[in-house]
Amino acid sequence: MGLWQIDNTLRESLATAERPIWLLVQLGRTLSIGGIMSNTGSDELEITLLPSGRRLSILRGGNLLEVLRANGFVLESDCNGMGTCGKCRVKFESGAPPSTSIEARLLQTEEIKQGWRLACRHDVVGPATITLPVTQEVLKTKVQQTEPLQETELNPGASVESLNLTPPDLDDQRSDTERLSMESGGEVKLSLCLLRRIPSILRSCHFKVSVVKEEGNLIDLVPNDHVQGLYGVAIDVGTSTLAVYLVDLETGEQLSAAASRNPQVKYGADVIARIHHIQERGRQGVGELQAVVLEAVNVLLKQLASEVGIQTSSIYKATVVGNPTMIHLLLGIDPSAIGHSPYVPVLCKRFSFQADEIGLGISPCARVEVLPAISGYVGADILAGMLSLSMRYRDLVVLMLDIGTNGEIVLATGNEMLACSTAAGPALEGGSISQGMSALAGAIDHAQIRDKELIYSIIGDAAAVGICGSGLVDLIAELRGIGLIDASGRFCKTEHPLSSRIERKDRQTLFLITNGKSRVYVTQKDVRELQLAKAAMRAGIDTLMDRAGVSAGDVERVCIGGAFGSSMRVGSLLCVGLLPPVQREKIVAVGNCAGQGAKLALLNCRMREKLEELASRTEHVELSFVKSFRESFTKHMRFPEND
Amino acid sequence: MGLWQIDNTLRESLATAERPIWLLVQLGRTLSIGGIMSNTGSDELEITLLPSGRRLSILRGGNLLEVLRANGFVLESDCNGMGTCGKCRVKFESGAPPSTSIEARLLQTEEIKQGWRLACRHDVVGPATITLPVTQEVLKTKVQQTEPLQETELNPGASVESLNLTPPDLDDQRSDTERLSMESGGEVKLSLCLLRRIPSILRSCHFKVSVVKEEGNLIDLVPNDHVQGLYGVAIDVGTSTLAVYLVDLETGEQLSAAASRNPQVKYGADVIARIHHIQERGRQGVGELQAVVLEAVNVLLKQLASEVGIQTSSIYKATVVGNPTMIHLLLGIDPSAIGHSPYVPVLCKRFSFQADEIGLGISPCARVEVLPAISGYVGADILAGMLSLSMRYRDLVVLMLDIGTNGEIVLATGNEMLACSTAAGPALEGGSISQGMSALAGAIDHAQIRDKELIYSIIGDAAAVGICGSGLVDLIAELRGIGLIDASGRFCKTEHPLSSRIERKDRQTLFLITNGKSRVYVTQKDVRELQLAKAAMRAGIDTLMDRAGVSAGDVERVCIGGAFGSSMRVGSLLCVGLLPPVQREKIVAVGNCAGQGAKLALLNCRMREKLEELASRTEHVELSFVKSFRESFTKHMRFPEND
């Protein structure tokens, strides 16, 4: 114990070091100098990841899912490692551990033989080569094509004004702040954070500065020759997708937009899984979730700014929308109470604060305005969408749908506005489906039966590895159309040639889509999951229509928001009965109308009152209370009869 | 290099450790495990400090002054280590380094022989035993005796109210904040920091909470059975002394008060030295000075709270006064521009922020209100003092003095108020005086000649080691009285027996006060320093009186604030001519009237307007502009003729 052998790498480092060196040593484990790490024990293992070929050196004993996540790989895991969703599949090319009983249930025998395992079920106990599904690589999400910026009065409440202050002298000993206030038109409020920056800015430019003001607050000082303009961002924090829009607040022009996946998905696919994570981890969990989403938003902000050639520090206003849980997490507020009855958020009204209070990467004293929500599940995103649609479809009877794990439904009749949220479950986003996945490369996103052949499209330049929500709805609608699925939802063999694709395997019935590189199929259970989801949506819609005394024929527009609206085929939605029987031409995809609403509020601060008015005029219908909802739900578990 | 010898202490630690141990190793220097440190090289030295006997292990080569400060010893150094003030004296009992030319100038030959050196002039190059002057030990400063709390309407703007909220259910899904707002009487504003705490507090007490509000802001939530009351603090950040007053905001009663030295003194005795430090260190310097003063204030807050038996978290409001530089530093704002012409502060008006923005140790969302100032040198302390005195001496002609390195003077005539600041220099605080010191143990604080004998008093139970401002003024007044100092300020030998104490040593004339354990004396140069200081004060007073057309006979009160007012003998001030010839009974010590004013503003938020009115009514006279000031200054360099 008294003497130590130092290995060759270390010896070399020591011999060539020019300054005293600090050694950080953990006895019996590893010995490192600076960046050099050498293995002295046997606790460190190497894992090779395909297709990238990346190698990870990791300590024995870590959970594989956590290790992969910690190294930046986004693996889907709806259940967040609980071993119930079967999504975190990886394929061991070598070094596969024995399979578990959970895998026997969630994977097919053949797959297990091929080396497929669930990452969450295994600790790292030996070296291995592992293939990650293509889709697990982090993909840059495309911003949905948005309709042109809606017309609104340009009144952002923010302004930049050049001042040529006279520097102080013995005749004019006014303080810096008094000088600024008086020369920029009277009393302004300002924060400590700006106050600290004032003396150096003023003196760096000999008092030739521009002041940026936002509704009576002085929020920045910029030397006149550094002024880049006055920009704002609208931020839509979706459960799956983050979207940011960069707008010139002086012209009202949208300069650019960008989106990425919400990295919180690694803690759970939906709000409930994320709340579950927080309940396990407490305050620290809130911090983790806040940190990852902020980091991702900040990356988007930098990307947009560099695209347009400005500094993020000249972004002086932000409006934020999202569902209440996402908003709570962005602000670092524990959303747990939203997760269980009576589903109460901490915050519902409009709330504003300074960017640096959460570390949002724009001008530090810029005001960030979280737009108001209606309830714990009908959030700022829905209300902002209503704002945008109310301006487009004034006085029409409009049904607005946001389809996801939670489906939000708004019915505006001109007289009244009703809103509800219904737990559709993750099926429509590819969750809880045996080979379901998000709309990423390798996902089957559309299917059609033409000339008795099944044709389908795959996202990206990839082989099919799974099926996403739109693909699932299409496929089931088509199979229902040719009678391979009956009105109760059961697979039925008929004389149709595609009947041969209905197989019985591992005690379940499935429909095989492709037997290519991967086997992709839909099981009987998957059909049931879709029935649950569409029944929940439809029962919500019917409940609001009943309440308002509106029939399907009265509906003048059905607006489907988000990626779902743009990707889903209207015919399929009608065929499975998710939508009431309205004329196809009345059904429109409205893109990210939440983002549109956030932009409206960014460009015109009067929209605030409009949002508050909308919120107060909207009746939130809590479906748990409505008896007819349950009846309608049971009824709509069935598919509509074929015409 | 490949093998390492580990010494016995280390070996033992390794052998008995139960878990893997991290070794932190700096090659060739020291080797440490946990708290155990053993000397493997020769770069570490031991210094023994007397009288405490404390031993310090320090690396060779550090500057002695910095090393001592880093170890918590407060050494005076008006020049902050520049080698010009001669204050950071320490006595080497062994291991004295060779003396430097600066010491030859600032210390007496005899002192150098005895081992006295200036800490700032020497690096640690060998082991040594060093005696620190008694006064350098950190002393707990006594709060000045304050007059009883002035009467004012009790209107702190803060309140605590118990609510018995009904917990949410499916019939009442209001958000937490909406529930709180509506049940506590309508819309409240609240900060993100409180918002984050709301859900857990509400649920920890089943919604039986009390809300603390301050002027429309919700600043805290407390479970009903944890409510301790509603407290406030008035904080006076002096250049030398910090004072904090704890007040019950429900009764208006002052519960306790405490004071300590401002630990920033280690970076320089006065505001100019501290600004100098910042100019050398930049932003980091501001941070250092802010951190030490905040830490000291927080210690006082904890001390007061524990004395009274409450938690600091039930302190819900703070008012702060201090000179502008102190206020800037407390807020972390660079005060550099105050340090040179045209002496412009960043902030002058009232400014409020949340306690957690600077880390003030009270309730995190409590409002901290920095009271307004008049100019870069006539600060919130003076204005608060004016508030307090204006209520006591309404409509009288009052001269208010704050005597220090910067002397602030206010003249209120009933019609008008004039204020100025004059650079008196540090002499009146014991600075720039060869054996001057603060009013700490060992300082001669009073002197009198009675029956041809010099008698003097010493602060604390200690031998005389120096002289503080009040002692200096007394001594010079007395020597002037018996003619040992003439009107021009020169020492003159007369037939008075004390003439024998006038000595000529090391090319300067001095008056020996005591030849006890330490030699304490006043030099000819010290008398000149006092003349400069008193001339500056007096010329400032005369300038304001001229401007207002007021003569000495018109003055109805001379109020002397702070420690100076309580410690200085009125006769001496008149004798040296610092004060104009007014009747002695009109001269009063007003204690910490700045603190009094801060308490008034704490108890009654209406005082805010009163302060702003006072500020706007007060004319700030910049003495650099007033020709008669220079003339008056020259004239008052002389002492008044003896009667």
Side-chain angles (χ1 to χ4, degrees), chain B residues 81-117:
Chain B
M82 307 288 285
T84 59
C85 76
K87 286 300 174 59
C88 59
R89 301 155 154 231
V90 297
K91 189 174 169 208
F92 282 80
E93 305 297 346
S94 71
S99 65
T100 65
S101 62
I102 288 181
E103 282 155 339
R105 190 143 38 81
L106 294 171
L107 300 175
Q108 301 219 334
T109 321
E110 211 166 306
E111 291 172 331
I112 293 176
K113 262 188 221 156
Q114 287 168 7
W116 287 96
R117 297 288 184 278

Side-chain angles (χ1 to χ4, degrees), chain A residues 311-576:
Chain A
Q311 304 277 320
T312 50
S313 58
S314 46
I315 301 173
Y316 288 112
K317 194 181 169 188
T319 51
V320 182
V321 295
N323 69 54
T325 301
M326 290 305 106
I327 294 295
H328 279 59
L329 289 176
L330 184 76
L331 270 52
I333 304 170
D334 187 340
S336 296
I338 301 176
H340 51 78
S341 175
Y343 318 111
V344 170
V346 178
L347 181 73
C348 213
K349 297 223 157 174
R350 177 168 77 83
F351 186 75
S352 68
F353 53 92
Q354 244 184 220
D356 65 350
E357 290 185 63
I358 60 167
L360 187 69
I362 59 177
S363 180
C365 304
R367 192 205 296 255
V368 180
E369 187 159 324
V370 170
L371 301 185
I374 294 172
S375 74
Y377 283 95
V378 184
D381 48 351
I382 304 303
L383 196 59
M386 286 165 67
L387 174 72
S388 154
L389 296 179
S390 74
M391 295 178 68
R392 214 182 287 168
Y393 302 116
R394 225 179 289 266
D395 303 324
L396 298 186
V397 176
V398 179
L399 190 60
M400 173 183 152
L401 306 179
D402 189 345
I403 301 175
T405 305
N406 279 286
E408 287 99 24
I409 303 160
V410 178
L411 178 63
T413 66
N415 297 323
E416 59 181 330
M417 306 189 84
L418 298 168
C420 71
S421 166
T422 176
L428 294 168
E429 292 181 332
S432 75
I433 300 302
S434 56
Q435 291 192 315
M437 61 185 285
S438 301
L440 297 174
I444 292 174
D445 65 339
H446 284 296
Q448 211 178 345
I449 294 169
R450 208 185 292 159
D451 303 330
K452 310 210 167 184
E453 289 275 352
L454 175 67
I455 52 177
Y456 56 86
S457 61
I458 304 165
I459 299 178
D461 183 20
V465 291
I467 187 163
C468 67
S470 59
L472 185 74
V473 175
D474 267 6
L475 181 76
I476 291 177
E478 293 288 298
L479 294 179
R480 171 78 194 111
I482 58 169
L484 289 199
I485 291 177
D486 70 13
S488 77
R490 219 175 36 191
F491 281 126
C492 316
K493 293 222 174 210
T494 68
E495 288 183 357
H496 195 285
L498 287 174
S499 282
S500 64
R501 303 236 192 155
I502 297 177
E503 300 178 3
R504 182 103 190 129
K505 202 143 198 177
D506 291 327
R507 274 180 298 172
Q508 63 178 341
T509 309
L510 56 83
F511 179 87
L512 184 68
I513 304 170
T514 167
N515 204 1
K517 215 166 167 187
S518 308
R519 269 171 69 87
V520 183
Y521 47 84
V522 165
T523 68
Q524 181 66 67
K525 187 178 149 288
D526 297 342
V527 180
R528 296 292 177 217
E529 293 285 341
L530 179 86
Q531 286 174 282
L532 286 167
K534 70 104 184 174
M537 285 299 300
R538 178 64 182 279
I541 294 169
D542 282 11
T543 303
L544 296 195
M545 296 209 307
D546 276 4
R547 175 77 69 110
V550 161
S551 72
D554 299 328
V555 173
E556 291 162 286
R557 284 287 180 288
V558 177
C559 301
I560 307 179
F564 211 87
S566 336
S567 60
M568 203 61 78
R569 281 222 309 263
V570 167
S572 301
L573 291 173
L574 288 167
C575 173
V576 299

